[in-house]
Amino acid sequence: MPATMQALAFLGIGKAGVIEKPIPKPGPTDAIVRTTSALICTSDVHTVRGAIPVPEGRALGHEAVGVVHDLGAAVTGFEAGERVAVGALTPCFHCGPCQRGFSTQCQGMLGGYKFTTQRDGNMAEYFLVNNAAANLARIPADLPDEKAVYATDMLSTGFGGAENAQLRLGESVAIFAQGPVGLSATIGCRLLGAGLIIAVEGRPERQELARRFGADVVVDPAAGDVVNQILDLTGGVGVDGAIEALGHPQTFEDCIRVTKPGGRISNIGYHGENPAPLQIPLEPFGLGMSDKKILTSLCPGGSDRLERIFTLMRSGRVDPTPMTTHEFGFDEIERAFSMMETKEDGVIKPLIRFA
Amino acid sequence: MPATMQALAFLGIGKAGVIEKPIPKPGPTDAIVRTTSALICTSDVHTVRGAIPVPEGRALGHEAVGVVHDLGAAVTGFEAGERVAVGALTPCFHCGPCQRGFSTQCQGMLGGYKFTTQRDGNMAEYFLVNNAAANLARIPADLPDEKAVYATDMLSTGFGGAENAQLRLGESVAIFAQGPVGLSATIGCRLLGAGLIIAVEGRPERQELARRFGADVVVDPAAGDVVNQILDLTGGVGVDGAIEALGHPQTFEDCIRVTKPGGRISNIGYHGENPAPLQIPLEPFGLGMSDKKILTSLCPGGSDRLERIFTLMRSGRVDPTPMTTHEFGFDEIERAFSMMETKEDGVIKPLIRFA
Amino acid sequence: MPATMQALAFLGIGKAGVIEKPIPKPGPTDAIVRTTSALICTSDVHTVRGAIPVPEGRALGHEAVGVVHDLGAAVTGFEAGERVAVGALTPCFHCGPCQRGFSTQCQGMLGGYKFTTQRDGNMAEYFLVNNAAANLARIPADLPDEKAVYATDMLSTGFGGAENAQLRLGESVAIFAQGPVGLSATIGCRLLGAGLIIAVEGRPERQELARRFGADVVVDPAAGDVVNQILDLTGGVGVDGAIEALGHPQTFEDCIRVTKPGGRISNIGYHGENPAPLQIPLEPFGLGMSDKKILTSLCPGGSDRLERIFTLMRSGRVDPTPMTTHEFGFDEIERAFSMMETKEDGVIKPLIRFA
Amino acid sequence: MPATMQALAFLGIGKAGVIEKPIPKPGPTDAIVRTTSALICTSDVHTVRGAIPVPEGRALGHEAVGVVHDLGAAVTGFEAGERVAVGALTPCFHCGPCQRGFSTQCQGMLGGYKFTTQRDGNMAEYFLVNNAAANLARIPADLPDEKAVYATDMLSTGFGGAENAQLRLGESVAIFAQGPVGLSATIGCRLLGAGLIIAVEGRPERQELARRFGADVVVDPAAGDVVNQILDLTGGVGVDGAIEALGHPQTFEDCIRVTKPGGRISNIGYHGENPAPLQIPLEPFGLGMSDKKILTSLCPGGSDRLERIFTLMRSGRVDPTPMTTHEFGFDEIERAFSMMETKEDGVIKPLIRFA
């Protein structure tokens, strides 16, 4: 049994590279998972750029599946060798925010997000999972790693954005940006019974995926003002829900402009790149009395949600793998990571296979 | 302009036939619609059998689309000649129950159901629509009558049953019976993101439609105890939601037996055939402390819901027309009605075309 | 029967005065009410200042009770002479937004607000009520006008703000500003089971009323930074809900700063005085991922809500009359209105008695 | 440090008595609490009568507060000596049902209820608390034991019943039976903004407490048919919510009969005494289409809920201590328990003080 492992780590602002680290040991309620497949997330690119203060040598990554390697003394119901997925967020489910239903805010603002920010991430050969009883989700035998791994962050986050749009059957929704989270929101809106799905996206390959995943119309920002295009598509009335999946002040504002009175603006974009406050234009907000709602969320954690997504994959209703534009061995992880930084070659999600 | 019309009317317990009636005149907030297509509903069969006290000569029918013929003085926003659909229920939207969100219970228990019970139904060449501003829904030009007419009752009722199952993405549901309402609930559960849809049905042609509309598994009562079959399919745990779409005490009880703790039992079956109280078995109900919920509903009315269903039809997500097993001219309506009584020839829904 | 009446009308930017107008005639679904008591609202002061474009001669006012004077031909269930209250908003309950549950947005943004903006208001001896079947609420015999009139706007609006705070039993809430709407929100939070109510207010007489209506603590802006005071009161954690009842960008921003992750910001303040966009500070908003929600509302209309408020008044749970700081005859209305403009003499709400 | 303790234990059907047991040792995530005060619950009387299979020697009790005595190695955030309350249910918060929001159904039907049914209860000098991080609630210094202890079951259960009545501000509710759980539901309905609270109860001392806790009217079964009395009180329309707090088939049925269309029937009564199925009468259930809902619940667990109830106690909004009709030392526990069996001397809740 080896004592050390390889991990892609933060090595100072702007630098990431593979280093050797000790294989973690489980506390009583933890599990150690041996990684088999992982996806690289743009959040890690943000982290390496300095968005979140992280000590040097901290392993990156939070989208991975693997096999149970070791279990804490108090963990029951799992055995070494079982295939498992672990959400990008791993809440304790015991603290006040968790009990109130905000497990993403475990023990404080955004505190459910523990990989990399609070401990080593899982772009590593092995990783520790806190509160394993709640955070390990068994992967059904007929579900391959390359599908299951999408449940850990992309689909869960995108579906959360779709859920917060609070659509009634047949209502309309506009989804701003069709990166992997926006595409997942598109899949989610389709699943939740949207009648009209408008995807906003300029890159052809993402436009095509948006259509494939359920968008009825794609609005291209190059074709003119996005707000006007969406109002035109809805007879001037606007949409019932708007999902911000980009993380830009203008897009956030556009979401307010394209929603009907009573509409929901669901934010899943990360607004850490631009320090200026978000702005709410008064007129489309009805001077604060429009019955519009602004809702925000972060990838919900826990095995139950993962298992529900697995059910959707097994019944054939959800297949996110067309988002996997590239595939690498873990020995190529540095190249894969750099590709995610540059977004070259039409990359959406690079899949990493561990030996 | 003719002064009279033909209508299929109740002619005494067990008897229905076409009679001549005056074309109705609108009050200030009413509309008169000239019927173009209609579907026969088993509810009318119940009515003719005496389930609801109705005067002789009262027109039957509540699933119809047509063309605006005349409008009351206070109705704005519509013009004669426009194609419209009208829900089976036509609430006032003004009384206490309507304002509280229970428009199906307009002015009292089940009071939103006005066709036949409170005034002439619409299996007639012309029909009156109360509170036209809320109850007329414009049919989009690209949507044919034979699709649109399903929104008036079947889909709206079935979707209501699916909504009351309160499924989270990927959860499981069992739908008891796959008549037109049960099939519509199957479509609805698929639209709302169910992960596993179990349809309970014995007739092969309905089983096939259930699969086509989204059921993952069909449980055949002939193959053994339905409750056990469903528990087996769910690893002994049961389903998150169960929909009663038959209207039978045993089925209602089975719904309680197959749901998990915390599960929802959604009733859309009509329990007027059997006067005995429904029964709740104590053990699967957790002695009244299982966190299970029993929810009931009746076809919601109003143009907004119809328009949302039209959107789903136009985007190609919903096509109920495979339920139309037979088609007749209005001159054959008596034969069509008798077929609905006997359920001969595998009939599901007979479509009636008006000249 | 007189043909004309007196009304307080808009007479050009900055000017309001009593003029003679014809008594309105009802359309088929309308009612005419003879006013008995009314309250002046600061919204009318905004209107006179030019906040909303209104033709000269338009009657002001939207908080009134009275007696049924005349009824349209299609209105049933009411008789001339009955005491009635009418909400500040009088939605049609028939259009799309109304059917979707956003009756305040009747037929378009803020469109449920018809008095003064779309037709004569009710600071007049008689006024017209559209869709009377839904908008007339009978006043119980044991409920005096001077109480009932508070249901028409202040309590309904304030309670709406409290409802949007979505408090669970025992949760904490901060209410920014204790004018009549803020005080009503305080009453509402108390009614809805808040555990800790923090009222933010600087004027002593309003502070005292806030305590009387249920505030546990009053935070005085003169005593230091409001955000810090509230964080101190909650052990640094913040409140579960924050209600903006002032209509100021800084207060709106403070609401975001004082809420916990997962908290609700409920806006009932009118933001029409300042044209700059509202701002959302990123850090307390969790970069858009805090699970915080921003909700907005406007006084819900309809008789059902008024009747529920009457029930609370009759059982002694709600008595808003301590807000009535001044009382005038309608012949003194111009003086009363000018007092509302200057807010002199500690005025909160002036009650107007009609002869 | 003693190794053994005294506990009131089940000693065979119909028998309960004090025995000596080892003081429990904590596992890694457990806490051991030294009991200071407890309340006897009628559930334990049911258990001794044989309602739940329990091994002889198993300690009874589930309503207790105390002081942290020992902590498992993985428990952080608490220290020995702190005053704590523990809910009657102690869910894991990690399993599927817990993650889905049904923590009372932890790991299976009613599985959150662990005291006595799965391990020793807390009518003992010391008791073990599983998943201590979620289940220990610190008692504020200014809150005495004799108040705090009511949060552990009575108030939490009663408030749950009130929450499930889903009342809008000012709506009406009928609460069937005013034992300690029904009285707590009365307090809960008052807290949640009910406009009219009708309590059904025959015993004068409980009627008086009901009024004191917020009931507007008390209906006495001795004065005639309860259903008719409630319909008379509501103008024949019925109530918006009905709470079953007795656990009797007739009362359950009455709840269905007294609710309006769209009404909620909230069950918190224990239906284990009578093996016959509960019955739903068809006519007041609208033949299954009345929009009525039947909801069920069991005392929710977790520290967050306890802390919210403490907040309500500290602000003076809730004081359950008038329910404490008797007080005993732990050395008198057998007499107290027998009193709870006979319900002699007008007993509602007997408080037990530990040395």
Side-chain angles (χ1 to χ4, degrees):
Chain A
M1 194 82 71
T4 63
M5 63 175 189
Q6 305 269 309
L8 180 72
F10 173 73
L11 301 177
I13 301 289
K15 283 193 287 185
V18 173
I19 61 171
E20 189 103 1
K21 300 202 72 163
I23 296 175
K25 299 280 179 207
T29 60
D30 301 328
I32 307 300
V33 173
R34 179 172 57 76
T35 314
T36 55
S37 292
L39 293 163
I40 304 182
C41 184
T42 301
S43 305
D44 280 323
V45 173
H46 293 308
T47 301
V48 171
R49 282 188 196 142
I52 302 171
V54 159
E56 290 189 20
R58 177 68 58 85
L60 296 163
H62 51 265
E63 305 185 12
V65 295
V67 163
V68 174
H69 173 72
D70 199 1
L71 291 162
V75 182
T76 58
F78 286 91
E79 288 180 27
E82 288 190 289
R83 291 175 63 223
V84 290
V86 177
L89 273 78
T90 50
C92 76
F93 290 97
H94 279 160
C95 67
C98 281
Q99 288 187 44
R100 287 194 291 276
F102 305 113
S103 63
T104 52
Q105 317 294 330
C106 175
Q107 290 160 336
M109 182 82 86
L110 313 183
Y113 180 27
K114 301 187 193 298
F115 286 126
T116 305
T117 68
Q118 300 178 29
R119 77 165 65 88
D120 276 332
N122 56 21
M123 194 57 80
E125 290 176 306
Y126 295 85
F127 63 96
L128 183 147
V129 183
N130 60 285
N131 301 91
N135 287 311
L136 290 183
R138 218 169 260 110
I139 302 176
D142 55 4
L143 196 63
D145 280 6
E146 59 265 28
K147 267 193 191 170
V149 71
Y150 274 94
T152 63
D153 185 354
M154 294 299 98
L155 293 181
S156 188
T157 299
F159 291 1
E163 289 163 333
N164 267 351
Q166 300 180 346
L167 301 174
R168 271 165 283 202
L169 271 176
E171 286 196 331
S172 56
V173 65
I175 304 161
F176 285 77
Q178 296 288 298
V181 164
L183 287 166
S184 297
T186 297
I187 299 175
C189 289
R190 184 71 152 87
L191 279 174
L192 285 164
L196 174 67
I197 300 176
I198 301 170
V200 181
E201 176 60 51
R203 300 192 205 181
E205 69 276 11
R206 295 181 178 209
Q207 292 179 338
E208 192 196 317
L209 271 183
R211 283 196 195 88
R212 182 164 170 184
F213 286 148
D216 298 290
V217 191
V218 176
V219 161
D220 190 330
D225 179 71
V226 166
V227 171
N228 286 342
Q229 288 189 69
I230 293 173
L231 292 176
D232 285 351
L233 283 167
T234 55
V237 174
V239 287
D240 296 289
I243 301 178
E244 212 291 357
L246 183 62
H248 191 280
Q250 184 59 51
T251 320
F252 184 84
E253 192 178 320
D254 285 355
C255 285
I256 297 168
R257 292 190 185 279
V258 300
T259 38
K260 294 178 190 174
R264 284 76 62 193
I265 295 97
S266 167
N267 187 80
I268 44 176
Y270 162 81
H271 291 279
E273 298 272 289
N274 187 331
L278 296 173
Q279 300 210 331
I280 302 178
L282 283 176
E283 188 272 337
F285 204 52
L287 309 176
M289 301 178 297
S290 59
D291 274 320
K292 294 193 186 184
K293 295 187 187 72
I294 298 173
L295 303 104
T296 65
S297 63
L298 179 61
C299 176
S303 55
D304 181 68
R305 187 171 179 89
L306 291 169
E307 287 165 10
R308 289 189 275 121
I309 297 175
F310 293 161
T311 304
L312 289 162
M313 289 173 168
R314 293 178 75 199
S315 61
R317 306 224 216 297
V318 170
D319 179 4
T321 52
M323 284 192 250
T324 305
T325 48
H326 297 76
E327 203 171 322
F328 298 92
F330 181 62
D331 55 340
E332 302 164 295
I333 179 72
E334 294 183 3
R335 199 178 112 221
F337 192 81
S338 121
M339 170 175 269
M340 205 63 178
E341 291 177 309
T342 59
K343 294 281 187 293
E344 70 202 62
D345 195 25
V347 68
I348 296 181
K349 289 297 275 191
L351 179 76
I352 312 300
R353 300 273 193 186
F354 288 70
Chain B
M1 194 82 71
T4 62
M5 64 174 188
Q6 305 269 308
L8 180 73
F10 174 73
L11 302 176
I13 302 288
K15 283 193 287 184
V18 172
I19 63 172
E20 189 104 1
K21 301 202 71 164
I23 294 175
K25 299 279 179 208
T29 59
D30 301 329
I32 306 301
V33 173
R34 178 172 58 78
T35 313
T36 54
S37 292
L39 293 163
I40 305 183
C41 183
T42 301
S43 306
D44 280 323
V45 174
H46 294 309
T47 300
V48 172
R49 281 188 196 141
I52 301 171
V54 159
E56 290 189 21
R58 178 66 59 83
L60 296 164
H62 51 266
E63 306 185 11
V65 295
V67 163
V68 173
H69 172 72
D70 199 1
L71 290 162
V75 182
T76 57
F78 286 91
E79 289 180 26
E82 287 191 290
R83 291 176 63 224
V84 290
V86 177
L89 273 77
T90 50
C92 76
F93 289 98
H94 279 161
C95 67
C98 281
Q99 287 187 43
R100 288 193 290 277
F102 304 113
S103 64
T104 52
Q105 317 294 330
C106 176
Q107 291 161 334
M109 182 84 85
L110 312 184
Y113 181 27
K114 300 186 193 298
F115 287 127
T116 306
T117 68
Q118 300 179 29
R119 78 164 64 90
D120 277 331
N122 56 22
M123 194 56 82
E125 290 175 305
Y126 295 84
F127 62 96
L128 182 147
V129 183
N130 61 285
N131 302 90
N135 287 311
L136 291 182
R138 215 168 262 110
I139 302 177
D142 55 3
L143 197 62
D145 280 7
E146 59 265 29
K147 266 193 193 173
V149 71
Y150 274 94
T152 63
D153 185 354
M154 293 300 98
L155 292 180
S156 187
T157 300
F159 290 1
E163 289 162 333
N164 267 351
Q166 301 179 346
L167 300 174
R168 271 166 282 201
L169 271 176
E171 286 196 331
S172 56
V173 64
I175 304 161
F176 284 77
Q178 296 288 298
V181 164
L183 287 166
S184 296
T186 298
I187 299 175
C189 288
R190 184 71 153 88
L191 279 174
L192 285 164
L196 174 68
I197 300 176
I198 301 170
V200 181
E201 177 58 52
R203 300 192 204 180
E205 69 276 12
R206 295 181 178 210
Q207 292 179 339
E208 193 196 317
L209 271 183
R211 281 194 197 88
R212 183 164 169 183
F213 286 148
D216 298 289
V217 191
V218 176
V219 161
D220 191 330
D225 180 72
V226 166
V227 171
N228 287 341
Q229 287 190 69
I230 293 174
L231 292 177
D232 284 351
L233 283 167
T234 55
V237 174
V239 287
D240 296 288
I243 299 178
E244 212 291 356
L246 183 62
H248 191 281
Q250 184 60 51
T251 319
F252 183 83
E253 192 179 318
D254 285 356
C255 284
I256 297 168
R257 291 188 186 281
V258 300
T259 38
K260 295 178 190 176
R264 284 76 60 191
I265 294 96
S266 167
N267 189 80
I268 44 175
Y270 161 81
H271 291 278
E273 299 271 289
N274 187 332
L278 295 172
Q279 300 211 331
I280 302 178
L282 283 176
E283 188 270 338
F285 203 53
L287 308 175
M289 300 177 297
S290 59
D291 273 319
K292 294 193 186 183
K293 293 186 187 73
I294 299 173
L295 303 103
T296 65
S297 63
L298 179 60
C299 177
S303 56
D304 181 68
R305 187 171 179 91
L306 291 169
E307 287 166 8
R308 290 190 274 120
I309 297 175
F310 292 161
T311 304
L312 289 162
M313 289 172 168
R314 293 178 76 198
S315 62
R317 306 223 217 298
V318 170
D319 179 3
T321 53
M323 284 192 250
T324 305
T325 49
H326 296 75
E327 202 170 323
F328 298 92
F330 181 61
D331 56 339
E332 303 165 295
I333 178 72
E334 294 182 5
R335 198 177 114 222
F337 192 80
S338 122
M339 171 175 268
M340 205 63 178
E341 291 177 309
T342 58
K343 296 279 187 294
E344 70 202 63
D345 195 24
V347 68
I348 296 181
K349 289 298 273 191
L351 179 77
I352 310 300
R353 300 273 193 185
F354 288 69
Chain C
M1 193 83 72
T4 63
M5 64 175 189
Q6 305 269 309
L8 180 72
F10 173 74
L11 302 176
I13 302 289
K15 283 193 285 186
V18 173
I19 62 172
E20 188 103 1
K21 300 200 72 161
I23 294 175
K25 299 279 177 209
T29 59
D30 301 329
I32 307 300
V33 173
R34 178 173 57 77
T35 314
T36 53
S37 292
L39 293 163
I40 304 182
C41 182
T42 300
S43 305
D44 280 323
V45 174
H46 294 309
T47 301
V48 171
R49 282 187 196 143
I52 301 172
V54 160
E56 289 188 22
R58 178 68 58 82
L60 297 163
H62 50 266
E63 305 185 11
V65 295
V67 163
V68 174
H69 172 72
D70 199 1
L71 291 162
V75 182
T76 57
F78 286 91
E79 290 180 26
E82 288 191 289
R83 291 175 63 222
V84 290
V86 177
L89 273 77
T90 50
C92 76
F93 290 98
H94 280 160
C95 67
C98 281
Q99 287 187 43
R100 288 193 290 277
F102 305 113
S103 63
T104 51
Q105 317 294 330
C106 176
Q107 291 162 332
M109 182 83 85
L110 312 184
Y113 180 27
K114 301 186 193 300
F115 286 126
T116 306
T117 69
Q118 301 179 28
R119 78 164 63 91
D120 277 331
N122 56 21
M123 194 57 80
E125 290 176 306
Y126 295 84
F127 62 97
L128 182 147
V129 182
N130 61 285
N131 301 91
N135 287 312
L136 290 183
R138 216 168 261 111
I139 302 177
D142 56 3
L143 197 63
D145 279 8
E146 59 264 29
K147 265 192 192 171
V149 71
Y150 274 95
T152 63
D153 185 354
M154 294 300 98
L155 292 180
S156 187
T157 299
F159 291 1
E163 288 163 333
N164 267 351
Q166 301 180 346
L167 301 175
R168 272 166 282 202
L169 271 176
E171 285 195 332
S172 55
V173 64
I175 304 161
F176 285 76
Q178 295 289 298
V181 164
L183 287 166
S184 296
T186 298
I187 300 175
C189 288
R190 184 72 152 87
L191 278 173
L192 284 164
L196 174 68
I197 300 175
I198 301 170
V200 180
E201 177 58 53
R203 300 192 204 181
E205 69 276 11
R206 294 181 179 211
Q207 291 180 337
E208 192 196 318
L209 272 183
R211 282 196 197 88
R212 182 163 169 183
F213 285 148
D216 298 290
V217 191
V218 176
V219 161
D220 191 331
D225 180 72
V226 166
V227 171
N228 286 342
Q229 287 190 69
I230 293 173
L231 291 176
D232 285 352
L233 283 167
T234 55
V237 174
V239 287
D240 296 288
I243 300 178
E244 211 292 355
L246 183 63
H248 191 280
Q250 185 59 49
T251 319
F252 184 83
E253 193 179 321
D254 286 355
C255 284
I256 297 168
R257 292 189 186 280
V258 301
T259 38
K260 294 178 191 175
R264 284 77 61 192
I265 295 97
S266 168
N267 188 81
I268 43 176
Y270 162 81
H271 292 278
E273 299 272 289
N274 187 331
L278 295 173
Q279 300 211 329
I280 302 177
L282 283 176
E283 188 271 338
F285 203 53
L287 308 175
M289 301 178 297
S290 59
D291 274 319
K292 294 192 186 184
K293 295 187 186 73
I294 299 173
L295 304 103
T296 65
S297 63
L298 178 61
C299 176
S303 56
D304 181 67
R305 187 171 180 90
L306 291 168
E307 287 166 9
R308 290 190 273 119
I309 297 176
F310 293 161
T311 305
L312 288 162
M313 289 173 168
R314 293 177 77 198
S315 62
R317 307 225 215 298
V318 170
D319 179 4
T321 52
M323 284 193 250
T324 305
T325 48
H326 297 74
E327 205 170 321
F328 298 92
F330 180 61
D331 55 340
E332 303 165 293
I333 180 73
E334 294 182 3
R335 201 178 111 221
F337 192 80
S338 122
M339 170 175 269
M340 205 62 177
E341 291 177 309
T342 58
K343 296 279 187 294
E344 72 202 60
D345 196 25
V347 68
I348 297 181
K349 288 297 274 191
L351 178 78
I352 310 301
R353 300 272 192 187
F354 287 70
Chain D
M1 194 82 75
T4 62
M5 64 176 188
Q6 305 270 308
L8 180 74
F10 173 74
L11 302 176
I13 302 289
K15 283 194 286 185
V18 172
I19 63 172
E20 189 104 1
K21 302 201 70 162
I23 295 175
K25 298 279 178 207
T29 59
D30 301 329
I32 306 300
V33 173
R34 178 173 57 77
T35 315
T36 54
S37 292
L39 293 164
I40 304 183
C41 183
T42 302
S43 305
D44 280 324
V45 174
H46 294 309
T47 301
V48 171
R49 282 188 195 143
I52 302 170
V54 159
E56 289 188 21
R58 177 68 58 85
L60 297 164
H62 50 266
E63 305 184 12
V65 295
V67 162
V68 174
H69 172 72
D70 199 2
L71 291 162
V75 182
T76 58
F78 286 91
E79 289 181 27
E82 288 191 290
R83 290 175 64 223
V84 290
V86 177
L89 272 78
T90 50
C92 77
F93 290 97
H94 279 160
C95 67
C98 281
Q99 288 186 43
R100 286 194 292 277
F102 306 113
S103 63
T104 52
Q105 317 294 330
C106 174
Q107 291 162 333
M109 182 82 85
L110 312 184
Y113 180 27
K114 300 185 192 298
F115 287 126
T116 305
T117 68
Q118 300 178 29
R119 77 165 65 90
D120 277 331
N122 57 23
M123 194 57 80
E125 290 175 305
Y126 296 85
F127 63 96
L128 182 147
V129 182
N130 61 285
N131 302 91
N135 287 311
L136 290 183
R138 216 168 263 110
I139 302 176
D142 55 4
L143 196 63
D145 279 8
E146 59 265 28
K147 266 193 191 172
V149 71
Y150 274 94
T152 63
D153 185 353
M154 293 299 98
L155 292 181
S156 187
T157 299
F159 291 1
E163 288 162 332
N164 267 351
Q166 300 179 347
L167 301 174
R168 271 167 282 202
L169 271 176
E171 286 196 332
S172 56
V173 64
I175 305 161
F176 285 77
Q178 295 288 299
V181 163
L183 288 166
S184 297
T186 298
I187 300 175
C189 288
R190 184 72 152 88
L191 278 174
L192 285 164
L196 174 67
I197 301 176
I198 302 170
V200 181
E201 176 59 53
R203 301 193 204 181
E205 69 277 11
R206 294 181 178 210
Q207 292 179 336
E208 192 196 317
L209 270 183
R211 282 196 197 88
R212 181 164 170 183
F213 286 148
D216 297 290
V217 192
V218 175
V219 162
D220 191 331
D225 179 72
V226 166
V227 171
N228 287 341
Q229 289 190 67
I230 293 174
L231 291 177
D232 285 352
L233 283 166
T234 55
V237 174
V239 287
D240 296 288
I243 301 177
E244 212 291 357
L246 183 63
H248 191 279
Q250 184 59 50
T251 320
F252 184 83
E253 193 179 318
D254 286 355
C255 284
I256 296 167
R257 293 189 186 280
V258 299
T259 38
K260 295 178 190 175
R264 284 76 61 192
I265 295 97
S266 168
N267 188 80
I268 43 176
Y270 162 82
H271 292 279
E273 299 272 288
N274 187 332
L278 296 173
Q279 300 211 329
I280 302 178
L282 283 176
E283 188 271 337
F285 203 52
L287 307 176
M289 300 177 297
S290 59
D291 274 318
K292 294 193 186 183
K293 294 187 185 74
I294 299 173
L295 303 103
T296 64
S297 64
L298 179 61
C299 177
S303 55
D304 181 68
R305 188 171 178 89
L306 291 169
E307 286 165 8
R308 289 190 276 120
I309 297 175
F310 292 161
T311 305
L312 288 163
M313 289 172 167
R314 293 177 76 199
S315 62
R317 307 224 216 299
V318 171
D319 179 3
T321 52
M323 285 192 249
T324 306
T325 48
H326 297 75
E327 203 171 323
F328 298 91
F330 180 61
D331 55 339
E332 302 164 293
I333 180 72
E334 294 182 3
R335 200 177 112 221
F337 192 80
S338 121
M339 169 175 268
M340 204 63 177
E341 291 176 309
T342 58
K343 295 281 187 291
E344 72 203 60
D345 196 24
V347 69
I348 296 180
K349 288 297 274 191
L351 179 78
I352 310 300
R353 301 272 192 186
F354 287 70

